[in-house]
């Protein structure tokens, strides 16, 4: 089985001491491609270097809402110049649950990145924690836009709206929690053609690794859980999710 981790942060400082070993463990587990989104300008150069050295890493560049105090207008001017070889804009988005910055400030950076993505025909990787109605409203301003809401935790109605807009939904370690009944119901209901699997490593570890650093190798456990929920064999689901990632990111 060869899988694509559609969202992980292999550029994170927590992988600096053993990144090669993490990638090797993932490969041994059957995970051999990684979409890695940077979250602020200070990390763009590092990700460029890592991606140049590791062909299995597909970079994306963005401005995450958690780091609004780091973003500068010059970032939006520089971003289009980094996009050769990038598979997406992001991670970008809105967050009213964990983010300390007000919505207007977040919207400024989100709107700027949606515009750049539309202009360059690139998908967006969206963080939308407790702000999906606002995310959906902004996406509707760009009918040609495509992308994924990663680590989806919204309602079935929000899922349906995003899928109608052509977006994919990404699911990670939280789906392995038996208590995540709402997410499980969404996973079971959405078209499998709009489903992506991700780890969000080094965060959001699956249940069996709770409290430990997450790794792309654990994507196998997420695949197995979703396969059980969908009543489909894991290899068939892997092929579908790989195809979905390939189509969205043009891998």
């Amino acid at each position: 089985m060869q899988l694509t981790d559609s969202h992980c942060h292999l550029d994170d400082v927590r992988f600096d001491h053993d990144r090669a070993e993490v990638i090797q463990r993932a490969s041994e587990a059957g995970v051999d491609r990684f979409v890695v989104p940077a979250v602020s300008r200070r990390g763009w150069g590092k990700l460029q270097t890592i991606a140049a050295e590791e062909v299995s890493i597909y970079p994306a560049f963005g401005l995450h809402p958690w780091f609004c105090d780091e973003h500068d207008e010059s970032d939006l001017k520089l971003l289009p110049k980094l996009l050769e070889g990038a598979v997406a804009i992001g991670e970008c988005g809105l967050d009213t649950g964990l983010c300390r910055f007000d919505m207007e400030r977040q919207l400024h950076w989100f709107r700027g990145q949606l515009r750049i993505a539309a202009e360059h025909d690139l998908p967006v990787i969206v963080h939308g924690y407790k702000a999906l109605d606002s995310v959906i409203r902004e996406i509707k301003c760009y009918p040609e836009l495509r992308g994924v809401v990663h680590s989806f935790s919204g309602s079935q109605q929000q899922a349906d709206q995003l899928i109608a807009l052509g977006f994919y939904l990404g699911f990670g370690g939280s789906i392995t929690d038996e208590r995540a009944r709402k997410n499980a119901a969404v996973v079971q209901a959405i078209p499998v053609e709009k489903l992506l699997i991700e780890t969000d490593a080094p965060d959001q570890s699956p249940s069996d690794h709770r409290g430990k650093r997450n790794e792309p190798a654990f994507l196998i456990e997420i695949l197995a859980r979703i396969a059980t929920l969908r009543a489909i064999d894991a290899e068939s689901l892997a092929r579908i999710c790989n195809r979905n990632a390939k189509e969205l990111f043009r891998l």
Side-chain angles (χ1 to χ4, degrees):
M1 208 180 308
Q2 293 180 319
L3 290 171
T4 300
D5 188 341
S6 69
H7 190 110
C8 61
H9 296 281
L10 285 173
D11 58 332
D12 192 281
V13 65
R14 285 168 283 179
F15 291 124
D16 282 352
H17 69 286
D18 66 344
R19 187 171 291 108
E21 291 83 355
V22 168
I23 291 172
Q24 180 62 33
R25 284 194 290 272
S27 178
E28 291 170 357
V31 185
D32 64 354
R33 294 197 292 189
F34 316 91
V35 176
V36 179
V39 296
S40 70
R41 180 175 180 169
R42 64 182 167 87
W44 292 351
K46 179 181 180 180
L47 179 55
Q48 282 182 308
T49 299
I50 293 171
E53 295 172 348
E54 178 53 65
V55 297
S56 63
I57 289 178
Y58 296 84
F61 301 96
L63 302 168
H64 195 289
W66 289 359
F67 307 105
C68 284
D69 57 340
E70 297 182 20
H71 306 333
D72 184 83
E73 289 302 321
S74 62
D75 298 347
L76 292 176
K77 295 178 181 177
L78 177 60
L79 184 54
K81 300 176 183 179
L82 298 180
L83 299 180
E84 184 176 354
V87 299
I89 299 288
E91 182 177 351
C92 59
L94 304 172
D95 184 331
T96 62
L98 298 172
C99 186
R100 60 190 174 94
F101 301 104
D102 64 75
M103 181 57 67
E104 282 306 309
R105 199 169 180 183
Q106 294 183 50
L107 280 168
H108 174 74
W109 303 112
F110 188 42
R111 288 168 176 166
Q113 291 172 91
L114 294 182
R115 174 181 52 79
I116 293 170
E119 289 173 352
H120 291 265
D121 191 26
L122 282 172
V124 284
I125 298 173
V126 178
H127 171 102
Y129 186 62
K130 294 189 176 181
L132 283 176
D133 288 337
S134 296
V135 164
I136 291 167
R137 184 184 65 244
E138 296 302 319
I139 288 172
K140 285 180 177 179
C141 296
Y142 296 92
E144 71 278 22
L145 200 64
R146 66 188 195 281
V148 54
V149 173
H150 101 95
S151 191
F152 183 83
S153 60
S155 67
Q156 184 64 56
Q157 182 184 35
Q158 290 167 329
D160 292 341
Q161 290 182 71
L162 286 162
I163 289 168
L165 291 168
F167 268 61
Y168 293 74
L169 306 181
F171 295 89
S174 64
I175 198 66
T176 63
D177 189 336
E178 296 286 346
R179 297 168 296 180
R181 295 186 180 90
K182 183 180 75 171
N183 255 17
V186 172
V187 163
Q188 290 171 316
I190 66 171
V192 71
E193 294 79 14
K194 290 297 181 181
L195 175 64
L196 290 175
I197 53 174
E198 61 173 71
T199 60
D200 199 23
D203 298 313
Q204 298 202 57
S205 299
S207 294
D208 287 349
H209 307 276
R210 187 171 288 122
K212 301 177 182 178
R213 184 186 68 172
N214 197 6
E215 293 192 11
F218 303 157
L219 190 67
I220 298 298
E221 298 169 38
I222 295 162
L223 175 77
R225 173 60 175 162
I226 294 176
T228 298
L229 290 171
R230 300 276 318 196
I232 184 175
D233 68 273
E235 289 192 8
S236 296
L237 180 61
R239 286 193 295 271
I240 294 167
C241 290
N242 280 346
R243 184 176 68 239
N244 295 346
K246 183 177 180 180
E247 289 178 353
L248 176 60
F249 297 116
R250 296 175 179 167
L251 303 183

